[in-house]
Amino acid sequence: MVEDHKHEESILEKIVEKIHGHGDSSSLSDSDDDKKSTSSSSSSFRSKIYRLFGREKPVHKVLGGGKPADIFLWRNKKVSGGVLGAVTASWVLFELFEYHLLAFLCHFAIFALAALFLWSNACTFIHKATPHIPEVHIPEDPVLQLVSGLRIEINRGLTVLRNIASGKDVKKFILIIAGLWVLSIIGSCYNFLTLFYIATVLLFTIPVLYEKYEDKVDAFGEKAMKEIKKQYAVLDEKVLSKVLSKIPRGALNKKKD
């Protein structure tokens, strides 16, 4: 009798454990489903957020990632400050002091060669080891990668210009003409070195500020893009459509046939 009673108790315990295990697994599955639903809802919410210029990657990835992006985003303040300081010193030297680049390179080479030559000869007189001058070689792979990347970007730009010149995209045509006109006005006011310095300063300030105030800038950009699209629709309706309708494309097609 005692053994039968113990056997019944063991059976009841197993049944209770199975019930609790089923309840725990169901609760775990429910929690997993809740997590999946929340993650999917959060991902869908993120996809609905407007990003400036249709950006889908972080600012660090947009700038190419790696050390250049770290420098532009001030991840290492000493390196970023050093680079910006060197660019500023070069601009002051060549622009404000009107020191020519070729003269600077020649004077720097004269000073460096003279210092190394005198140091090497002085070491022989005082019986010390001559300074070790390392051999400098330009590696082939980075140069080829740089040239290949430039070739791809130049071909892409030529393709865009060809499509615009063929009259396929009026919107891009207007944007390119307006951009070139603005660049011509800026170029007439500043020389190339000053423009390069301004572009460098903007590259060191705008990305880091945009990364800091990303949500506010994107919200303002969304409103601005809506207004630009609205004004472009009005311009297209009142001006562009009338101009394009006056172009005798049918006559040209008949001549081609």
Side-chain angles (χ1 to χ4, degrees):
M1 294 292 290
V2 176
E3 293 179 355
D4 293 338
H5 182 68
K6 289 182 178 179
H7 183 65
E8 290 177 357
E9 287 181 352
S10 63
I11 292 173
L12 289 173
E13 289 176 356
K14 289 181 180 179
I15 293 171
V16 171
E17 287 178 358
K18 287 183 179 180
I19 292 172
H20 284 294
H22 181 69
D24 293 337
S25 62
S26 62
S27 62
L28 288 173
S29 62
D30 293 337
S31 63
D32 292 337
D33 293 337
D34 293 337
K35 289 180 180 178
K36 289 180 181 178
S37 61
T38 53
S39 62
S40 62
S41 62
S42 63
S43 61
S44 62
F45 177 74
R46 288 178 181 177
S47 62
K48 292 179 181 178
I49 296 176
Y50 175 84
R51 294 300 180 192
L52 201 63
F53 304 114
R55 179 178 59 85
E56 296 179 356
K57 299 179 181 179
V59 181
H60 190 271
K61 293 292 183 182
V62 173
L63 293 175
K67 292 183 179 180
D70 292 340
I71 292 173
F72 293 136
L73 294 175
W74 294 80
R75 297 286 191 266
N76 191 340
K77 294 183 179 180
K78 291 183 179 179
V79 177
S80 301
V83 173
L84 185 59
V87 174
T88 303
S90 301
W91 179 76
V92 171
L93 182 65
F94 296 123
E95 183 64 23
L96 297 183
F97 294 160
E98 296 182 354
Y99 201 74
H100 298 287
L101 178 62
L102 182 59
F104 172 77
L105 293 176
C106 292
H107 293 165
F108 178 78
I110 290 170
F111 177 77
L113 289 174
L116 290 173
F117 179 80
L118 294 175
W119 188 11
S120 299
N121 287 300
C123 288
T124 58
F125 285 109
I126 61 178
H127 302 289
K128 286 188 176 182
T130 57
H132 176 68
I133 301 174
E135 295 183 359
V136 180
H137 297 285
I138 298 176
E140 183 178 1
D141 292 338
V143 175
L144 293 177
Q145 291 176 1
L146 178 62
V147 174
S148 178
L150 288 175
R151 181 185 64 84
I152 292 171
E153 294 299 328
I154 290 172
N155 289 334
R156 187 180 298 173
L158 292 175
T159 303
V160 172
L161 293 176
R162 180 178 178 275
N163 292 331
I164 293 172
S166 61
K168 294 180 180 179
D169 196 337
V170 180
K171 183 178 179 180
K172 286 184 178 180
F173 172 76
I174 294 174
L175 291 175
I176 293 295
I177 294 298
L180 291 175
W181 181 67
V182 171
L183 282 177
S184 66
I185 295 175
I186 296 174
S188 62
C189 299
Y190 304 98
N191 58 13
F192 178 77
L193 184 61
T194 303
L195 289 176
F196 177 78
Y197 177 68
I198 292 173
T200 304
V201 173
L202 292 177
L203 194 59
F204 271 88
T205 53
I206 290 178
V208 66
L209 291 176
Y210 173 69
E211 189 181 38
K212 188 176 181 180
Y213 304 102
E214 184 176 358
D215 296 333
K216 295 180 181 179
V217 175
D218 288 338
F220 179 77
E222 185 178 8
K223 295 179 181 178
M225 285 302 297
K226 288 181 179 178
E227 186 65 26
I228 290 171
K229 289 180 180 179
K230 188 187 296 184
Q231 296 298 328
Y232 176 76
V234 174
L235 179 66
D236 188 16
E237 183 180 358
K238 293 183 177 180
V239 179
L240 297 179
S241 59
K242 294 180 180 179
V243 172
L244 293 175
S245 62
K246 293 179 180 179
I247 298 175
R249 294 188 177 183
L252 293 174
N253 293 328
K254 289 180 180 179
K255 290 181 180 180
K256 290 181 180 178
D257 295 336

